[in-house]
Amino acid sequence: GESVGLHLPTLSVQEGDNSIINCAYSNSASDYFIWYKQESGKGPQFIIDIRSNMDKRQGQRVTVLLNKTVKHLSLQIAATQPGDSAVYFCAENSGGYNKLIFGAGTRLAVHP
Amino acid sequence: DTGVSQNPRHKITKRGQNVTFRCDPISEHNRLYWYRQTLGQGPEFLTYFQNEAQLEKSRLLSDRFSAERPKGSFSTLEIQRTEQGDSAMYLCASSSNAVARGQGDTIYFGEGSWLTVV
């Protein structure tokens, strides 16, 4: 079936470096993508989203890139901080009412 | 706090007992979702309400599971005759109507309700 997956289960970075978390999706009909951050014991926290009619969107210290040709999504975090340590999920919406399909997640570990 | 509220946050129950979780969505949101998440996995869709109507249920939602949203505001998720395999975090989320197809509105999640079946 259709699925959303991630290339790397764990990413370790030094504080202050930029982080890039990647995600592949398989449903070419998906038109909306979201990145969530989840800290231990908490619910997913919205970070940034992008629609399929865009290829880049920027937020505060975060940028999402969408490459529809290869069905690839990435989250870039600038100047990574210890507070960014968490599991990051990409999710795709292929339904009209935001039924999200999540990948397994990437753990980001930020070292001082 | 105007976010999605869930309670109880933690529930330990004996196998075979019934449990009920409550979700209060963001007040102006008419769409409400339940997801389940196990350790190391992403959330999995269980069911979706638009106002009081339950419009979709996942195959993951067995006959022992029932969700309601009687007045189109808060929702409850009941699990009857719990099994150890039901141990997970149950997440509620809400969103408003997408203004138009392709504009995708943001889904906000609550902090989840942890269920441990012993």
Side-chain angles (χ1 to χ4, degrees):
Chain A
E2 304 293 358
S3 64
V4 171
L6 295 169
H7 296 303
L8 299 173
T10 305
L11 178 65
S12 295
V13 299
Q14 291 293 123
E15 182 178 355
D17 287 352
N18 296 334
S19 301
I20 300 176
I21 301 172
N22 296 302
C23 176
Y25 66 94
S26 57
N27 185 353
S28 57
S30 293
D31 59 3
Y32 180 51
F33 304 87
I34 311 174
W35 281 100
Y36 285 95
K37 172 187 179 183
Q38 189 172 29
E39 297 175 88
S40 181
K42 296 187 176 181
Q45 176 188 353
F46 172 84
I47 301 173
I48 192 167
D49 57 3
I50 188 167
R51 303 183 190 105
S52 59
N53 61 352
M54 305 169 69
D55 54 20
K56 180 178 180 179
R57 192 169 187 215
Q58 288 185 295
Q60 189 174 18
R61 283 201 306 119
V62 295
T63 301
V64 54
L65 300 177
L66 176 62
N67 185 332
K68 294 181 288 293
T69 302
V70 294
K71 291 183 283 188
H72 184 267
L73 194 67
S74 68
L75 177 70
Q76 300 178 0
I77 304 173
T80 314
Q81 302 170 359
D84 295 326
S85 295
V87 176
Y88 290 80
F89 293 97
C90 64
E92 64 177 309
N93 168 39
S94 56
Y97 57 84
N98 286 346
K99 175 183 176 180
L100 298 179
I101 300 171
F102 284 81
T106 292
R107 181 172 300 280
L108 177 65
V110 182
H111 303 286
Chain B
D1 184 16
T2 57
V4 178
S5 177
Q6 293 188 244
N7 66 83
R9 291 293 318 279
H10 298 89
K11 178 72 176 178
I12 300 174
T13 191
K14 292 183 178 179
R15 188 175 51 186
Q17 297 294 304
N18 300 343
V19 296
T20 300
F21 300 113
R22 175 178 169 126
C23 172
D24 288 272
I26 295 172
S27 61
E28 64 270 24
H29 285 181
N30 60 343
R31 293 178 169 180
L32 186 146
Y33 316 80
W34 285 99
Y35 284 76
R36 181 172 72 184
Q37 186 177 24
T38 53
L39 284 176
Q41 301 296 317
E44 296 174 292
F45 172 82
L46 291 179
T47 191
Y48 156 66
F49 289 85
Q50 178 152 321
N51 300 311
E52 65 276 8
Q54 188 174 21
L55 298 184
E56 184 169 345
K57 293 195 297 184
S58 162
R59 285 170 291 180
L60 293 174
L61 216 63
S62 75
D63 291 343
R64 296 184 297 105
F65 288 70
S66 62
E68 294 181 345
R69 196 183 183 198
K71 299 181 180 179
S73 56
F74 74 92
S75 176
T76 58
L77 176 68
E78 181 183 19
I79 308 174
Q80 295 182 325
R81 304 180 303 282
T82 51
E83 302 173 356
Q84 288 186 322
D86 297 332
S87 296
M89 180 163 68
Y90 291 86
L91 289 160
C92 179
S94 71
S95 70
S96 62
N97 270 355
V99 175
R101 172 71 179 171
Q103 287 197 0
D105 57 288
T106 303
I107 294 181
Y108 294 95
F109 283 83
E111 295 291 76
S113 292
W114 283 98
L115 173 65
T116 301
V117 182
V118 297

